Amino acid sequence: MRHLRTEVKMPLITVVPETYNHVLAEFDCLDPLLSTLRLDSGRLKCTCLAVSKKWLALGTSAGGLHLIQREGWKQRLILTHKEGSITQVSCCPHDEDFIAVATSQGLVVVWELQLERRGRPERVSVSTEHRGQAITGLCWDTSTLRVFVGDSGGKVSFLRAGSSKLGKGSAFVIFPVQTVATVDSRVVQLGYQDGRLLVSSLSRCYLCDTEREKFWRVGNKERDGEYGACFVPQNRGLSVGHPPLLFCARPGSRVWEASFNGEVLSTHQFRQLLACPPLPLITYRNEPHYNQMQKSPQSVAFPKLLYFGDQNLLTWSDSAIYIFTPHNGQVLLWTEVKDVVDIAVHRSELFCLHGSGRLSHFSLLSAERCVERLLRRESWPLAATVCCMFQDAITASRARKTIPIDRLEHLRSQLSPSTHLELIGQLEEVISKLEPLDSACSSRRSSISSHESFNVLDCGIYRVISRRGSQSEEETSSLVNQSMSEEERLKEFSSFAQEEDQVDHDPQSNERIDAERSEQGLQFHLPLSFRPKPHRIALQAVKDSVSSFVKKTTEKINTLQMNSELWQRPDLREAGQAETSASAAPFSEDVENEVYVDVPSTEADLLELQSATERVISQIQDPLVLLDPVYLAETLQEWLPVLERVLGPAELGSAPMGARNMDVPGEGRCDKIQEQPEDFSSSSEEPTESLTGEKEETTPEPRDKEVQMEGQPASDDKEPVASNGSPLDPIRVMSPKPVPSDLLANLTQLATVYTELSCFRNQADDQALSCTTFLRRFFFLLDQERIRRMCLLCKQEQQEVKSSFTEAMLEVTQCSKVVEVIQRGDLLRSLRCLRELQPWSAPPLLAHLHRLYEKHGEAAVRSFSQFYPTITPADVMSMAQQSHFLAYLDNLVQSQTEEHRLSFLQSLLDPESLRQDWLELALTHDAPQHCDTLTPDGQPRWHSHCFSWGYGRLLSLLIRLPADFSSKQRMAETCRSHGYWMGYLSLCRELQHRTEAFSTICQLDDISLLEEPDGVEPQTLDDWKLLIQLSQRCSGASEQAGGVNGGSLSNGSMDRGGKVSPESLTLLLARMAGPDRALAVLEECRVQLVLSPHSKLVCELLRVTEKRQRAMIQTMLERCDRFLWSQHA
């Protein structure tokens, strides 16, 4: 029954060769943005993208163009197009107020956003030159408002955009669309630079001088396939001022380099260079891995070429991204990225569109810059992994400007030894290899060794021994140093200790520094930039060196019988400290004796608790005890008094607080509960706390007091009260004394079993602790995940248990750095920080989501779907309001693909009764008023099925879920009572309640409901007779309705179908069974109906049609008969 802790060993990180020092990194997740824009569903997807300094433009399959402001990722505009989906979009490079859009019907539109004048966006130019063709390329002129367009037929044209910015009357001028050229095949890519247009087709590359209207081909060899081309400006070194170069993709991973006149200068071969392994993508989605195995040479067709970053060339395939350095013909890096469809770049940032419609935001940067960005985002494991993977770039001296040594040591201190032990070891190796910022350290060492002898201390300090000095000189210098004031000697040493405390945040180092403040120290002036040891080891070595030096100096002073005048005028501060130390000395001795006497009693209590715990565990291994709640409760009752005596609340006043004995995965621990002043005199004024800090491992004070819930005012001092009016115990999240790990594991198991047993069992024993009381007293012993599941399964009456668990988890996680981000109010940043905590543990994550919900409400709940399945709908239901939970559930279901939504929703129904609960919830929120869908007597109102239901998609899925007959009947009655008629008709069709369905259709008065799949179709003549009789009864009532309130319709527009009347039903039956049969049915129903002239004409036409069909069939049968007889003869 004992839990065995296994240490998580990470595999050794493979080191990347030193030739690679750049990476592609993903720091931002755009999934919440797409979810907000509803572009993550199967119906609406992102089809194209463009990026500029200010905008991220996203085209959709519904013809909408979303303009997202890159600063803060806020949506500013939506431009709609009725001419089809958006296939191409391009932002003007020199004026971001203009953007060009191409639709699937071949229309090109230039928009002027008019944001500076706060006006409405306008279409300043429209081109129909390419109507009927697929637009394959858009390219802006670099100096004027002119857009070049290429299509699948090879035609290239341009259109100008009129604007009021060009002068008075320019906005009213309509510029004609001009055709530039028609090439031999489909246009693949367009480029423009300094008056010349570059056109890349399936077979060749063409260069066009748009001013002189001259054309020439680039190279002589043709090609067959999609190959891109682009201009690359020359703005580095000696090439500044030279005309741009152009690069054209060729088959076999080759690229032509050509001059600005189209003359091919060289051919770059990348096939053999791409035989190297791919560099990993640095992303929060998964851990980066580098595989050293060589790949075979790659023959890749580069569909497009883009100028990227600083003199780089970017291209891609459907499974990888490649970045080249064209000035030397080398591969900067290539990285495997799946399902790449299109890429847009701006400087060193690229936005990748995947085939599924998902967006990725990558950045190209050096390895040290990547580590620096990760450190700022507090992504500790990922930053350490990159450091170990790119050791050569990190250890180089140039990296010290970006990543100083102390930041790497701080990074090491943030890693947890329980989960990242191997990573810490590799990171320490990297730190030991770090080169200093300047390379002058070697010359400094040589100069020291040439003049003086020295040795190196353990802390890394060079101790210099002068050859010219003697013993008398050393004594004189010691006396001079001893005469300095103590405050001056400790000034630099104390500041150094304070910096270490701020960087490491280690409780043990805090105690050591507090203890050292009472000792004497010396000021050191040796530079420490080349010290190889960590700060903590160096600080301990400095302490030992200072202590030994002070002792030797004191002995020499007494030996030389120094003049007493040096000691007659001390500083007032030193005198105060001496008096305080003298008065505190005997008190400290008493405290030390008391602690010494108390230690055996504590050990005896723990031994007694361990003995009782092992005895109970051996007893519950018997199945007769474990499976019988009565025997199990009696066994635990014998163990409970020992637990209360040793670790109960009565011991909190006298027992020192130990370290927290529970690990929260993914959470930062709270190292200091209360910040103490850094003044040197504080240690001598409180000797009791100082002594306690020397005896214990950590210094936090007890936190057994009421946990203040977020959102409540700080001045609210009321104690928590139970349902019966008695005050609740304070929650204890920390153990009152240190507990061995093996004993802690057994205590956790028994405490959790007792909590679950007391929660699910009605206790008749009044002396037994209730579930809520035990949870609040001994929460530091409980298994948080099991308690979370218990709270989800417990009865609704057990609200005190749920609230106590939430309160405890908020207290446990309040020292996490994510809490600070959440309190700032930035929802996207908070979600990003939570994603970086992967792998998640449900209880801490649930506490953070609780804070997010209190801060942002429904907006936060809608984003909780990304944490499924760690956070389940049951967790969100217990936390959020019903209306907010519906928004979460709808987002969660819609995040699945359309074919898997029904099965996914079925998997969430645990228990099955949730189907009915969720159905009633969706029918009562964001729904039409009952008076709009139901008459006073409970009958359907005319056309009330056309109302829009806010959660209509979720309702349709809930109704389609498989269920037994009684559940379906109950769902049908619920839909009818709330006026959800489309769901009611669907359920009636499943239950074969055709009479009720036809009666509802007649009252709704919409004949289109007699057609499947949304309606109920009559199948027999009896159904038609029933329909005609019901319609005759309801024909008068439906005339009184005047329309439908509300502007949006969920199932169609108002002209979707005609009225349900005997005449319309007769015509519908005539189309199916013939006019004569329809009139006979009318006579059988005894309905006196006078057909209108239009209906009579329709019946006559149907008769004629029927006769001709019969004659045609007869003719065909006769011909077949003659043919068969002729073959037989």
Side-chain angles (χ1 to χ4, degrees):
M1 303 295 290
R2 180 174 300 176
H3 293 284
L4 297 177
R5 291 190 177 182
T6 58
E7 185 180 277
V8 179
K9 291 188 177 180
M10 299 177 58
L12 291 177
I13 299 174
T14 308
V15 180
V16 175
E18 60 180 350
T19 54
Y20 300 103
N21 53 10
H22 283 75
V23 294
L24 273 181
E26 183 179 17
F27 299 108
D28 295 322
C29 176
L30 299 182
D31 293 344
L33 176 63
L34 295 182
S35 178
T36 304
L37 301 178
R38 300 297 178 93
L39 294 180
D40 55 349
S41 62
R43 184 178 58 87
L44 191 63
K45 297 176 64 175
C46 181
T47 55
C48 58
L49 76 166
V51 64
S52 65
K53 181 180 179 180
K54 183 177 182 180
W55 299 113
L56 172 63
L58 303 178
T60 67
S61 56
L65 179 66
H66 297 270
L67 290 179
I68 313 300
Q69 189 172 349
R70 292 184 56 189
E71 183 179 356
W73 302 112
K74 298 179 180 179
Q75 182 181 9
R76 292 293 303 273
L77 291 173
I78 301 179
L79 306 179
T80 58
H81 305 79
K82 299 180 180 180
E83 297 84 7
S85 61
I86 307 299
T87 58
Q88 297 284 334
V89 59
S90 179
C91 300
C92 183
H94 53 85
D95 192 343
E96 292 190 301
D97 210 25
F98 290 86
I99 188 167
V101 178
T103 68
S104 57
Q105 296 181 6
L107 193 75
V108 180
V109 182
V110 178
W111 289 86
E112 183 178 6
L113 305 180
Q114 298 187 3
L115 293 180
E116 297 178 359
R117 291 172 288 179
R118 299 182 180 273
R120 296 183 60 183
E122 294 182 357
R123 295 188 177 194
V124 294
S125 184
V126 179
S127 171
T128 58
E129 185 74 15
H130 304 268
R131 184 179 292 274
Q133 296 287 341
I135 306 297
T136 57
L138 291 178
C139 179
W140 280 89
D141 193 319
T142 55
S143 58
T144 62
L145 296 178
R146 184 170 56 166
V147 183
F148 295 92
V149 185
D151 62 17
S152 58
K155 180 186 290 187
V156 180
S157 66
F158 74 85
L159 69 156
R160 297 181 181 272
S163 173
S164 57
K165 295 182 179 180
L166 302 177
K168 295 182 178 180
S170 300
F172 302 99
V173 177
I174 300 178
F175 297 98
V177 178
Q178 299 183 19
T179 300
V180 178
T182 301
V183 295
D184 51 2
S185 58
R186 181 165 65 92
V187 176
V188 177
Q189 188 176 0
L190 297 175
Y192 187 87
Q193 189 75 32
D194 296 344
R196 297 196 177 178
L197 178 66
L198 179 62
V199 181
S200 178
S201 68
L202 294 177
S203 59
R204 292 182 181 275
C205 280
Y206 299 90
L207 197 59
C208 169
D209 189 338
T210 57
E211 297 179 357
R212 302 179 182 178
E213 297 183 358
K214 292 184 178 181
F215 297 86
W216 54 92
R217 296 178 299 185
V218 179
N220 296 321
K221 295 183 179 180
E222 294 187 355
R223 63 197 182 188
D224 185 14
E226 293 189 0
Y227 297 94
C230 71
F231 289 103
V232 175
Q234 299 191 68
N235 50 14
R236 291 185 57 183
L238 300 177
S239 300
V240 176
H242 290 197
L245 297 175
L246 58 95
F247 290 84
C248 307
R250 299 289 300 170
S253 300
R254 293 177 298 158
V255 176
W256 273 350
E257 179 181 348
S259 66
F260 199 51
N261 296 324
E263 179 183 357
V264 178
L265 302 178
S266 61
T267 302
H268 297 283
Q269 301 276 355
F270 294 108
R271 186 171 181 271
Q272 295 294 334
L273 295 177
L274 292 176
C276 60
L279 290 184
L281 178 67
I282 309 301
T283 174
Y284 62 90
R285 301 179 188 271
N286 46 51
E287 187 176 347
H289 293 284
Y290 178 72
N291 189 359
Q292 288 182 321
M293 299 200 48
Q294 293 286 331
K295 289 183 173 288
S296 58
Q298 300 185 55
S299 180
V300 184
F302 303 140
K304 286 186 180 180
L305 296 179
L306 300 177
Y307 176 63
F308 181 53
D310 186 16
Q311 297 292 309
N312 296 322
L313 205 61
L314 181 140
T315 185
W316 67 90
S317 64
D318 59 350
S319 59
I321 296 177
Y322 308 90
I323 302 177
F324 308 125
T325 53
H327 60 276
N328 57 8
Q330 298 297 319
V331 178
L332 183 66
L333 63 87
W334 75 277
T335 301
E336 292 181 341
V337 180
K338 297 181 180 179
D339 200 16
V340 180
V341 174
D342 195 9
I343 289 179
V345 301
H346 178 71
R347 294 183 179 177
S348 295
E349 297 180 86
L350 63 94
F351 293 82
C352 179
L353 176 61
H354 301 271
S356 61
R358 184 174 62 87
L359 283 180
S360 299
H361 178 202
F362 302 143
S363 299
L364 174 68
L365 65 172
S366 61
E368 58 267 23
R369 289 289 181 186
C370 178
V371 173
E372 192 268 339
R373 291 275 294 273
L374 292 173
L375 290 178
R376 277 192 287 155
R377 293 170 177 264
E378 299 180 357
S379 301
W380 311 119
L382 190 57
T385 303
V386 177
C387 286
C388 299
M389 191 175 295
F390 293 86
Q391 292 187 12
D392 299 302
I394 300 301
T395 57
S397 60
R398 66 175 182 273
R400 300 290 77 73
K401 296 180 180 179
T402 307
I403 316 173
I405 299 177
D406 54 354
R407 296 196 67 181
L408 291 178
E409 292 177 347
H410 177 62
L411 168 63
R412 181 190 55 191
S413 67
Q414 295 296 324
L415 299 176
S416 173
S418 60
T419 56
H420 303 97
L421 186 60
E422 297 291 341
L423 185 58
I424 293 176
Q426 286 191 268
L427 185 60
E428 288 180 347
E429 293 181 5
V430 175
I431 295 177
S432 63
K433 300 177 184 178
L434 294 179
E435 298 178 2
L437 178 60
D438 51 354
S439 58
C441 59
S442 57
S443 61
R444 184 188 301 117
R445 297 171 189 170
S446 61
S447 63
I448 292 176
S449 60
S450 62
H451 297 284
E452 299 167 315
S453 62
F454 66 94
N455 57 3
V456 183
L457 301 178
D458 292 336
C459 61
I461 297 177
Y462 283 73
R463 180 182 178 187
V464 181
I465 303 175
S466 176
R467 296 178 181 177
R468 299 183 300 274
S470 59
Q471 183 178 359
S472 60
E473 293 178 356
E474 293 178 2
E475 293 174 354
T476 305
S477 63
S478 299
L479 294 177
V480 172
N481 290 333
Q482 183 65 25
S483 63
M484 296 171 60
S485 65
E486 187 174 357
E487 183 179 2
E488 294 176 351
R489 296 174 188 173
L490 292 174
K491 183 177 181 180
E492 182 173 345
F493 184 73
S494 299
S495 63
F496 177 75
Q498 293 176 13
E499 293 176 0
E500 282 294 317
D501 180 66
Q502 294 175 1
V503 173
D504 291 338
H505 298 285
D506 187 13
Q508 299 179 0
S509 64
N510 294 338
E511 296 170 1
R512 185 164 59 247
I513 292 172
D514 291 337
E516 291 169 4
R517 287 173 182 164
S518 61
E519 299 180 4
Q520 293 180 347
L522 291 178
Q523 187 174 5
F524 292 89
H525 297 284
L526 290 176
L528 303 180
S529 60
F530 49 85
R531 55 192 174 97
K533 298 292 183 180
H535 286 175
R536 197 174 302 165
I537 301 176
L539 187 60
Q540 183 65 30
V542 171
K543 169 195 170 184
D544 299 338
S545 176
V546 170
S547 302
S548 61
F549 184 79
V550 169
K551 292 179 181 179
K552 292 180 181 179
T553 305
T554 306
E555 293 174 359
K556 291 177 183 179
I557 292 173
N558 296 333
T559 303
L560 295 175
Q561 296 180 355
M562 191 175 179
N563 190 357
S564 61
E565 293 181 357
L566 293 174
W567 302 95
Q568 291 178 1
R569 293 185 299 272
D571 290 342
L572 295 177
R573 183 172 180 177
E574 294 179 8
Q577 292 174 359
E579 293 175 2
T580 307
S581 302
S583 61
F587 182 72
S588 300
E589 293 176 359
D590 295 340
V591 174
E592 185 176 0
N593 293 332
E594 291 176 6
V595 175
Y596 179 80
V597 172
D598 187 60
V599 168
S601 64
T602 303
E603 293 179 354
D605 291 341
L606 290 178
L607 289 176
E608 181 184 1
L609 178 61
Q610 184 173 6
S611 175
T613 303
E614 292 177 353
R615 182 171 62 254
V616 172
I617 287 180
S618 63
Q619 292 177 2
I620 65 176
Q621 288 179 351
D622 186 359
L624 297 177
V625 177
L626 183 63
L627 300 179
D628 191 336
V630 178
Y631 289 163
L632 182 60
E634 293 177 355
T635 305
L636 293 175
Q637 286 296 333
E638 298 176 359
W639 163 78
L640 186 58
V642 183
L643 176 67
E644 288 186 304
R645 185 172 64 255
V646 179
L647 298 178
E651 294 287 333
L652 291 179
S654 58
M657 180 64 66
R660 183 180 298 184
N661 289 309
M662 55 184 174
D663 295 333
V664 181
E667 295 292 331
R669 290 190 175 183
C670 183
D671 295 322
K672 293 200 302 180
I673 303 301
Q674 184 177 1
E675 294 292 332
Q676 299 292 339
E678 296 290 340
D679 190 72
F680 177 75
S681 61
S682 61
S683 60
S684 59
E685 293 175 359
E686 298 177 1
T688 306
E689 294 182 3
S690 177
L691 182 60
T692 307
E694 294 175 1
K695 294 295 181 181
E696 300 295 334
E697 294 181 356
T698 57
T699 59
E701 297 179 358
R703 305 192 69 149
D704 298 328
K705 55 187 178 180
E706 178 191 356
V707 179
Q708 176 125 8
M709 296 291 291
E710 290 190 7
Q712 294 181 354
S715 60
D716 189 5
D717 296 328
K718 294 182 179 180
E719 296 183 355
V721 179
S723 57
N724 57 4
S726 60
L728 292 175
D729 291 350
I731 290 181
R732 304 168 63 216
V733 298
M734 299 177 64
S735 175
K737 58 185 67 176
V739 181
S741 59
D742 54 347
L743 177 58
L744 178 64
N746 294 333
L747 290 175
T748 298
Q749 180 180 351
L750 291 182
T752 307
V753 169
Y754 181 86
T755 307
E756 295 171 341
L757 186 65
S758 59
C759 179
F760 295 110
R761 178 171 173 265
N762 294 325
Q763 295 184 359
D765 188 3
D766 297 337
Q767 298 180 355
L769 287 179
S770 65
C771 178
T772 305
T773 304
F774 186 85
L775 184 145
R776 299 179 74 90
R777 288 185 184 178
F778 300 101
F779 185 80
F780 58 90
L781 294 178
L782 299 178
D783 186 337
Q784 298 173 4
E785 178 58 27
R786 287 175 60 181
I787 299 301
R788 181 187 74 91
R789 293 197 294 264
M790 180 198 74
C791 292
L792 294 180
L793 296 175
C794 67
K795 302 177 182 178
Q796 293 296 328
E797 310 68 80
Q798 301 279 4
Q799 290 298 330
E800 293 178 0
V801 178
K802 296 182 180 179
S803 60
S804 297
F805 173 71
T806 303
E807 190 177 348
M809 288 311 305
L810 290 174
E811 172 69 9
V812 169
T813 59
Q814 72 174 354
C815 295
S816 174
K817 297 180 180 178
V818 181
V819 179
E820 302 177 3
V821 181
I822 294 175
Q823 290 176 349
R824 294 173 191 159
D826 189 345
L827 179 58
L828 292 179
R829 181 176 175 83
S830 302
L831 293 174
R832 183 175 67 240
C833 291
L834 289 178
R835 285 192 299 268
E836 292 174 355
L837 293 179
Q838 296 187 36
W840 292 312
S841 177
L845 180 60
L846 192 61
H848 292 316
L849 296 184
H850 192 279
R851 292 186 176 93
L852 268 182
Y853 176 65
E854 290 183 345
K855 196 78 175 176
H856 301 281
E858 183 179 357
V861 173
R862 287 183 178 273
S863 62
F864 288 175
S865 58
Q866 59 187 295
F867 301 107
Y868 180 85
T870 304
I871 301 300
T872 62
D875 294 315
V876 182
M877 189 189 305
S878 62
M879 175 201 313
Q881 300 178 11
Q882 292 183 345
S883 59
H884 297 169
F885 168 74
L886 270 179
Y888 159 79
L889 183 62
D890 189 43
N891 272 14
L892 179 63
V893 174
Q894 297 304 321
S895 64
Q896 306 295 316
T897 56
E898 190 170 359
E899 60 271 14
H900 295 114
R901 287 174 187 168
L902 195 63
S903 59
F904 176 73
L905 184 59
Q906 177 71 26
S907 66
L908 299 179
L909 297 178
D910 188 17
E912 290 286 335
S913 59
L914 286 177
R915 182 196 299 105
Q916 184 68 24
D917 298 338
W918 289 355
L919 179 65
E920 295 179 359
L921 203 60
L923 288 172
T924 53
H925 290 84
D926 199 4
Q929 298 292 329
H930 279 201
C931 60
D932 293 331
T933 58
L934 293 169
T935 60
D937 56 349
Q939 298 300 320
R941 282 194 179 274
W942 181 82
H943 271 222
S944 58
H945 64 289
C946 296
F947 274 106
S948 175
W949 292 74
Y951 296 100
R953 295 180 299 180
L954 182 61
L955 285 170
S956 63
L957 291 173
L958 288 170
I959 289 172
R960 288 162 50 194
L961 287 174
D964 53 17
F965 186 80
S966 60
S967 298
K968 288 287 186 179
Q969 278 187 324
R970 190 162 56 252
M971 293 170 65
E973 288 299 323
T974 304
C975 291
R976 178 178 178 82
S977 62
H978 288 84
Y980 183 52
W981 302 118
M982 297 305 299
Y984 178 70
L985 291 177
S986 177
L987 290 169
C988 287
R989 184 174 64 248
E990 291 185 38
L991 298 171
Q992 294 298 317
H993 293 172
R994 308 187 69 82
T995 304
E996 293 84 351
F998 292 148
S999 175
T1000 303
I1001 292 174
C1002 291
Q1003 290 173 331
L1004 293 174
D1005 198 15
D1006 189 351
I1007 201 171
S1008 64
L1009 296 178
L1010 295 175
E1011 300 173 0
E1012 293 185 351
D1014 295 332
V1016 181
E1017 184 177 356
Q1019 297 178 350
T1020 62
L1021 288 179
D1022 294 335
D1023 290 343
W1024 285 104
K1025 293 177 182 178
L1026 177 62
L1027 260 176
I1028 293 174
Q1029 292 173 355
L1030 291 173
S1031 65
Q1032 190 175 15
R1033 298 174 190 171
C1034 301
S1035 59
S1038 61
E1039 299 295 335
Q1040 301 175 1
V1044 178
N1045 298 328
S1048 59
L1049 304 176
S1050 60
N1051 298 294
S1053 58
M1054 289 295 297
D1055 57 351
R1056 45 176 290 167
K1059 296 180 179 181
V1060 179
S1061 62
E1063 184 176 359
S1064 61
L1065 291 175
T1066 303
L1067 290 178
L1068 189 59
L1069 178 59
R1071 294 189 181 96
M1072 300 180 63
D1076 297 332
R1077 192 65 179 271
L1079 294 175
V1081 171
L1082 278 178
E1083 293 178 0
E1084 293 177 7
C1085 295
R1086 298 177 182 178
V1087 176
Q1088 301 296 330
L1089 179 63
V1090 178
L1091 296 177
S1092 64
H1094 173 73
S1095 300
K1096 293 180 180 179
L1097 178 61
V1098 171
C1099 290
E1100 290 297 328
L1101 290 175
L1102 289 174
R1103 288 190 182 95
V1104 172
T1105 304
E1106 185 178 0
K1107 291 179 180 179
R1108 290 187 176 183
Q1109 288 177 349
R1110 290 177 180 177
M1112 185 179 297
I1113 294 172
Q1114 183 67 26
T1115 304
M1116 293 177 63
L1117 290 175
E1118 291 176 356
R1119 290 179 179 177
C1120 290
D1121 186 61
R1122 287 197 299 269
F1123 175 76
L1124 292 175
W1125 279 109
S1126 64
Q1127 293 294 324
H1128 186 267

